[in-house]
Amino acid sequence: MKITVVGAGYVGLVTGACLAEMGNHVVCLDVDARKIAMLQRGEIPIHEPGLDAVVQRNAAAGRLQFTTDVAAAVGHGTLQFIGVGTPPDEDGSADLQYVLAAARNIGRHMTDYKVVVDKSTVPVGTADKVRAAIAEELAARNLQMDYAVVSNPEFLKEGAAVDDFMRPDRVVVGSDDERASLLMRAVYAPFMRNHDKLIVMDVRSAEFTKYAANAMLATRISFMNELALLAERVGADIELVRKGIGSDPRIGTHFLYAGAGYGGSCFPKDVKALIHIGADNGVPLQVLNAVEAANERQKHVLVERVTARFGEDLSGRTLAVWGLAFKPNTDDMREAPSRVVIAELVKRGAKIQAYDPVAMEEAKRVLEGVPGVSFVAGQQAALEGADALLIVTEWKEFRNPDFEFIKATLKQPVIFDGRNLYEPALMKAFGLEYLAIGRAAALPADA
């Protein structure tokens, strides 16, 4: 099948590469000539495990091509996947300018039947706007032509996106056009040979499903973070609480980890957008307002631990920071808790020695101009001359470090753990002062 993917960013590139892997002939279109040139050279502009091999294999086979030629890209695919960005506007609403620009380009250049697939995360009602934009362009050309607009939201986790696409737990398609629905079934059939996981619904419900899913996951995270703060006050251990409630099949174990707050390109943006949609429709979403507020509060918890231990004035203090990306297995720094933590510590006079296995270059870019921040080559180098260690991202290489080296290297043997990676009793045995999230009961009273 011939497929065009508009946008060669995170969603578009993963979508295009994985569709090509199943034998489709895919053309990825992007207006960023630099990015397209990189991809044509076999270079990947984002860090996503396994994606480089899929892209390079299918490009070499001729099934995956990259272009800035809008007319050629529109002419190529019967299915036109729109996977461009929908950044938050100043009021928190999703900015649809790139989605609608893609729709207008399709209407401007199409010469036969197209199925336009909204893959980007978009507000309810976007399909109607896409349909209208295409209709306007066709009218300007004095043409009448059949086309369909469907919603096919992505449910990809950064760091596991290729596996999520290749082995989906569900594929949601919002469509009111029988021909388009059949084509979408044909596209996704190779991904679900053992079990049909495709759910067809009306377009608006599909659009809503994506926001609802991310909002629910964000709610679970903020709920556990608030419980963690309370657990400290009442003398409970949030890790034991997590296991206790997670064993209930009605609750489950996923997204119940207390930490330094969520970040990334999806949860913050989508929670804000859904709040805005609610306000526009006269339905204030009180739970999600609380979720957002709790998350912003949680990003400051590590800073509060540091100032409680060392005082508000951190002048003369050097702090090691392990982990900068908003989550492991990505270089994404968007809305990363580390940005808030570092900014607040620097504001109080601290110097930062930061390390991340993957996100160093992106961190240098987004933290450019922040005084007192240096980037080091490894986790042990970050400890040299530091007063204490802060763990902000739960990379695997941080899970079982050399604790004796940590104690011997830090000026004071203190770990502020924003991801609860270690057992407090073990840290005590190594002679380390360990300040985690919600683990007040994890040590005896004399600890």
Side-chain angles (χ1 to χ4, degrees):
M1 195 174 294
K2 291 184 177 181
I3 296 172
T4 295
V5 177
V6 184
Y10 180 80
V11 173
L13 188 55
V14 172
T15 298
C18 291
L19 290 174
E21 182 79 351
M22 292 303 179
N24 298 291
H25 184 189
V26 179
V27 170
C28 281
L29 167 71
D30 202 288
V31 297
D32 187 338
R34 183 191 62 84
K35 183 187 296 182
I36 292 299
M38 285 182 64
L39 289 164
Q40 289 172 339
R41 293 194 301 268
E43 301 170 11
I44 308 298
I46 59 174
H47 177 82
E48 181 59 41
L51 180 59
D52 53 350
V54 180
V55 169
Q56 291 160 7
R57 179 166 58 248
N58 286 281
R63 291 189 299 269
L64 182 61
Q65 296 173 295
F66 304 99
T67 185
T68 57
D69 188 332
V70 174
V74 173
H76 170 77
T78 300
L79 289 141
Q80 303 269 322
F81 282 78
I82 298 178
V84 298
T86 53
D89 219 332
E90 290 183 4
D91 60 1
S93 63
D95 185 347
L96 295 178
Q97 64 172 308
Y98 305 112
V99 171
L100 296 179
R104 283 190 287 271
N105 278 334
I106 294 169
R108 200 169 291 140
H109 296 286
M110 62 187 284
T111 57
D112 55 7
Y113 176 79
K114 303 293 183 187
V115 177
V116 181
V117 184
D118 286 337
K119 195 70 177 169
S120 302
T121 300
V122 294
V124 178
T126 298
D128 294 336
K129 296 178 180 180
V130 167
R131 191 177 289 110
I134 295 171
E136 288 175 10
E137 292 297 333
L138 288 174
R141 297 167 60 196
N142 294 315
L143 290 177
Q144 287 188 338
M145 203 171 296
D146 286 341
Y147 63 95
V149 179
V150 305
S151 174
N152 175 218
E154 54 87 11
F155 298 98
L156 306 177
K157 298 185 296 292
E158 289 193 44
V162 173
D163 192 58
D164 285 347
F165 199 105
M166 300 298 287
R167 300 173 183 82
D169 50 23
R170 81 284 204 196
V171 175
V172 172
V173 172
S175 173
D176 55 11
D177 182 287
E178 184 177 356
R179 182 180 176 186
S181 298
L182 288 172
L183 285 169
M184 293 299 288
R185 282 192 179 277
V187 166
Y188 281 108
F191 298 95
M192 49 191 75
R193 290 176 61 83
N194 294 329
H195 180 63
D196 186 2
K197 300 174 184 177
L198 190 137
I199 304 170
V200 179
M201 59 183 72
D202 64 276
V203 176
R204 288 188 169 231
S205 294
E207 292 171 335
F208 199 5
T209 296
K210 169 62 176 181
Y211 279 115
N214 278 356
M216 173 60 79
L217 297 175
T219 298
R220 287 169 68 94
I221 294 170
S222 283
F223 177 71
M224 288 303 292
N225 282 336
E226 287 207 313
L227 288 188
L229 299 181
L230 180 58
E232 294 175 358
R233 297 294 181 91
V234 301
D237 183 348
I238 197 63
E239 286 296 298
L240 299 179
V241 174
R242 176 181 64 80
K243 293 175 183 177
I245 65 175
S247 61
D248 185 331
R250 297 169 300 175
I251 297 173
T253 58
H254 298 297
F255 288 83
L256 290 184
Y257 291 87
Y262 61 76
S265 63
C266 294
F267 287 5
K269 173 176 69 70
D270 294 351
V271 168
K272 284 182 173 68
L274 195 50
I275 289 170
H276 188 271
I277 292 168
D280 278 353
N281 287 275
V283 183
L285 300 181
Q286 298 176 9
V287 170
L288 289 188
N289 276 299
V291 166
E292 186 178 39
N295 190 59
E296 290 308 306
R297 162 80 175 81
Q298 199 69 18
K299 290 182 179 182
H300 291 81
V301 167
L302 277 181
V303 178
E304 293 167 3
R305 301 287 156 86
V306 172
T307 56
R309 178 65 175 75
F310 293 121
E312 280 289 332
D313 185 359
L314 298 175
S315 300
R317 300 282 184 187
T318 298
L319 300 170
V321 172
W322 284 1
L324 299 169
F326 88 94
K327 64 179 286 188
N329 298 319
T330 181
D331 61 352
D332 198 337
M333 289 289 296
R334 286 174 289 185
E335 302 281 346
S338 65
R339 299 175 67 168
V340 174
V341 171
I342 289 173
E344 291 297 320
L345 293 174
V346 166
K347 186 190 301 182
R348 290 164 173 79
K351 291 184 178 179
I352 304 297
Q353 294 178 171
Y355 168 71
D356 188 283
V358 168
M360 296 288 273
E361 291 305 313
E362 182 65 10
K364 289 176 184 177
R365 185 185 70 81
V366 301
L367 295 172
E368 185 179 7
V370 178
V373 180
S374 59
F375 299 93
V376 296
Q379 62 191 78
Q380 292 190 341
L383 304 172
E384 299 288 348
D387 291 276
L389 166 64
L390 284 76
I391 301 172
V392 188
T393 312
E394 63 273 30
W395 287 93
K396 287 182 180 178
E397 68 181 68
F398 301 157
R399 292 184 181 180
N400 199 20
D402 185 339
F403 294 112
E404 291 179 347
F405 181 86
I406 292 173
K407 182 184 178 184
T409 307
L410 290 174
K411 292 180 181 178
Q412 300 190 46
V414 184
I415 298 177
F416 300 93
D417 187 354
R419 298 299 173 184
N420 289 352
L421 294 187
Y422 314 129
E423 281 302 316
L426 179 64
M427 296 301 95
K428 183 183 180 185
F430 275 106
L432 291 162
E433 184 180 346
Y434 183 63
L435 300 161
I437 308 291
R439 308 214 65 186
L443 286 174
D446 62 348

